[in-house]
Amino acid sequence: MSANKENEYFSDGITEEIINALAKIDGLRVTSRTSAFHFKGKNIPVREIGQKLGVSTLLEGSVRLSGNSIRITAQLIDAAEDFHFWSETWDRKLDNIFKVQDEISLLIAEKLREQIGHFEIEEHTKARHTEIGAYEWYLKSKSSFAKFQKADILKAVNEIEKAIAIDTECPFYHASKAIYYGYLGLVNAIPGSEAFTMSKKAALRALQLDPTDPEANYSIGMVHYFFEKDLDTAESYLELALKYRPNYVNALLGGSVMDVVSGNNERSLYRVKKAIELDPLTYSHIYYHASALQRMGRYEEALVEVNKLLKVIPYHTNSYCLKGTILNRLKRYNEAIAHFKTVPVSTENTTIYYAGTGIVYASCGNLEKAREYLTICSKQPQNLHLASEENPSVIINIYLGNFEVAFNEIEKDIAAGKYYLNFYREIPAFKLLTGDPRYRILDTIFKSDGISRTGNPTENYSVTKKTLLDENQIKTYKNQLLDYMVSEKPFLDIRLSLRKLAKQLRISPNHLSLVLNEGLGKNFNNFVNHYRIEEFKTVAKKPGRSYITIAALAYECGFNSKTVFNTYFKQETGLTPSEFLKT
């Protein structure tokens, strides 16, 4: 909301920082940046936003910059009922922006817990410090990277380098640099060896400064997977990334792919489904789901998923070619050939995908046509930037019986680190090679430490914690709480919070939250507002109170919002306050 619209990167950056802080809380599902930003600047009803994101609560706010001062507003909205149950404003100096972000994130988490139910909140977050000038370059780099075009990612690299030049000791600057270079390598924007070397160097520096940085763990995990072919090490870093940020969509998607390679199919699907749930409006994530199902040999299910994506993004080249592969696996050869002859390369243009077409002809036994397309592939090589393009010189030569040529090509592809070989066990043509002793060369694709990793499909990667309270403790605290509510009436305080009530009871906020949830089956707001409603019913009936307005009576009973009072009153009684008084 600043006069200078170029400051928009600052509000976007602070929003993302708050999202990431909340995403670290185990038990709280937080929609990712991309889906949340879909609604930015749009006038869409609250209920519709809640339905599209699949969430119960919305957080909205604003940022206003003026010189060295910043004003941040935030409010929480019940998506189903469309009422604001909390709001706050902060006026601060920019020199302690991290303190402000931590303060906001902690307060938002506490208010969410009061509204939706129990989850644990860490009492103290690890302090982060940096120069404000460096932080602004960091936020600009995040804004550039989010556009996800080659030129913008290169711009992001330049901007994060400026941040590092000002503050070389800030871990998340190096972690961001690692992410940016990793993606430059993945999309072939710069040579892979250069990109991954830079990515690994930056990630190692970030981890040296902060071993708990999720982005650093994620980026070095991807380096080990894509570039160094060290699956075991890659998985261990991905699990650390998810431990420190359970709602980390990119790590969930990357981990899902690695799980397919290692045969941990159930966890793979759990991870990719969770990523889609956290980021429901980034439809391209469906590709990961369809691809995982295909690589597991679940072709009919994979076809359903890829069709969902192509219905929304018909020009998604990776998904379009994946569908052709799935049709080929299902032996729907004529459909697959027709499909590969109209591959979109832009919103207006299509091309024939020679490799895919030739492989289908080989698969269905039309070896003459397969040879024809193999020749075309050698004379007119294509680069469609496909996620796992199969080498026709390998696949077609296998079907032609030219095993010597095929194995020579496989050796070259292993040396070049061709991605499709990660999933060789699923490719039908490779099954024809299993009796050949040279087939064992495929076992050398990944380094291995010999340790089997098959995690729980629904593992949440949070740090293992002891049970907060046992049943007897919950019962004791519950009785203490109920007695206190009747004798002291703390609910009459309009500023009462879960933390404040816990202090009065001399227990921790996490303990009180658990007691409310496990012992009484309620969240804090429902619990406290029940007593306020009962108090209202009592005082409103007293003689001589008829001259006081309903709003004034509600305030006297502890409510600080007419909307909140009316909403809870209707929930408790099925009547409006006016209807209740008339009866």
Side-chain angles (χ1 to χ4, degrees), residues 253 256-257 260 269 272 276 282-295 301-310 313 316-326 385-389 419-420 423:
L253 293 172
S256 172
V257 174
V260 173
L269 294 177
V272 75
I276 292 170
T282 302
Y283 298 106
S284 56
H285 292 343
I286 300 172
Y287 170 82
Y288 286 86
H289 190 196
S291 183
L293 289 166
Q294 178 248 309
R295 289 160 178 165
E301 295 171 74
L303 185 60
V304 170
E305 291 303 310
V306 81
N307 279 335
K308 282 183 193 174
L309 175 52
L310 291 172
I313 316 175
H316 193 267
T317 307
N318 262 317
S319 296
Y320 195 91
C321 288
L322 175 63
K323 179 175 178 178
T325 300
I326 295 168
H385 299 291
L386 301 179
S388 55
E389 182 176 19
Y419 190 61
Y420 81 98
F423 312 97

Side-chain angles (χ1 to χ4, degrees), residues 23-225:
K24 292 178 181 177
I25 299 173
D26 188 24
L28 186 63
R29 184 170 66 81
V30 185
T31 297
S32 76
R33 178 193 197 279
T34 46
S35 283
F37 275 46
H38 176 82
F39 299 98
K40 182 181 170 185
K42 297 176 182 177
N43 187 19
I44 299 175
V46 164
R47 287 189 180 90
E48 185 178 336
I49 296 174
Q51 288 168 358
K52 286 186 175 181
L53 294 178
V55 297
S56 62
T57 310
L58 303 180
L59 166 66
E60 70 174 21
S62 63
V63 174
R64 188 184 297 274
L65 281 170
S66 179
N68 192 41
S69 298
I70 186 169
R71 167 170 285 188
I72 300 175
T73 67
Q75 53 189 2
L76 288 167
I77 309 164
D78 184 293
E81 299 294 338
D82 191 7
F83 77 91
H84 299 68
F85 60 87
W86 171 80
S87 64
E88 190 67 79
T89 300
W90 294 263
D91 289 299
R92 298 289 190 275
K93 295 297 181 184
L94 281 177
D95 50 15
N96 66 347
I97 187 64
F98 289 115
K99 185 177 179 182
V100 179
Q101 288 175 1
D102 289 342
E103 180 185 347
I104 293 171
S105 301
L106 181 59
L107 195 49
I108 288 168
E110 290 187 343
K111 294 304 171 184
L112 280 170
R113 179 166 68 178
E114 290 177 2
Q115 177 72 7
I116 66 178
H118 175 69
F119 51 83
E120 286 186 54
I121 299 174
E122 289 185 25
E123 294 298 308
H124 302 288
T125 57
K126 186 165 53 180
R128 300 206 298 173
H129 303 285
T130 187
E131 299 285 337
I132 188 62
Y135 185 63
E136 290 194 64
W137 281 116
Y138 163 74
L139 293 184
K140 286 177 180 177
S141 79
K142 299 286 264 188
S143 179
S144 297
F145 180 72
K147 296 171 185 172
F148 220 71
Q149 298 297 318
K150 176 181 175 181
D152 293 303
I153 300 176
L154 289 169
K155 183 181 177 184
V157 169
N158 181 259
E159 288 165 337
I160 200 65
E161 290 285 15
K162 290 180 178 179
I164 292 171
I166 297 171
D167 185 354
T168 60
E169 301 299 304
C170 184
F172 51 92
Y173 295 169
H174 295 280
S176 295
K177 179 180 175 179
I179 293 284
Y180 303 163
Y181 270 109
Y183 274 92
L184 286 173
L186 289 178
V187 300
N188 299 314
I190 62 176
S193 58
E194 176 189 344
F196 288 125
T197 298
M198 294 297 290
S199 180
K200 183 176 182 179
K201 183 179 178 181
L204 287 172
R205 177 61 177 147
L207 290 172
Q208 182 185 27
L209 294 165
D210 180 7
T212 68
D213 189 292
E215 290 186 343
N217 280 286
Y218 164 73
S219 59
I220 199 168
M222 298 313 285
V223 167
H224 281 288
Y225 173 65

Side-chain angles (χ1 to χ4, degrees), residues 424-482:
Y424 71 90
R425 290 182 180 87
E426 180 273 333
I427 300 172
F430 278 69
K431 293 177 172 61
L432 301 176
L433 302 176
T434 54
D436 193 300
R438 290 170 293 183
Y439 184 76
R440 289 196 296 271
I441 192 175
L442 292 163
D443 293 332
T444 67
I445 290 173
F446 284 105
K447 301 173 186 176
S448 177
D449 58 12
I451 299 172
S452 175
R453 292 176 172 83
T454 53
N456 187 323
T458 56
E459 193 173 350
N460 61 17
Y461 310 104
S462 60
V463 177
T464 303
K465 300 170 184 171
K466 295 179 180 178
T467 304
L468 283 177
L469 299 170
D470 61 31
E471 288 185 16
N472 288 332
Q473 289 172 313
I474 290 175
K475 185 177 179 180
T476 299
Y477 282 134
K478 181 183 79 170
N479 292 334
Q480 179 186 342
L481 170 64
L482 294 175

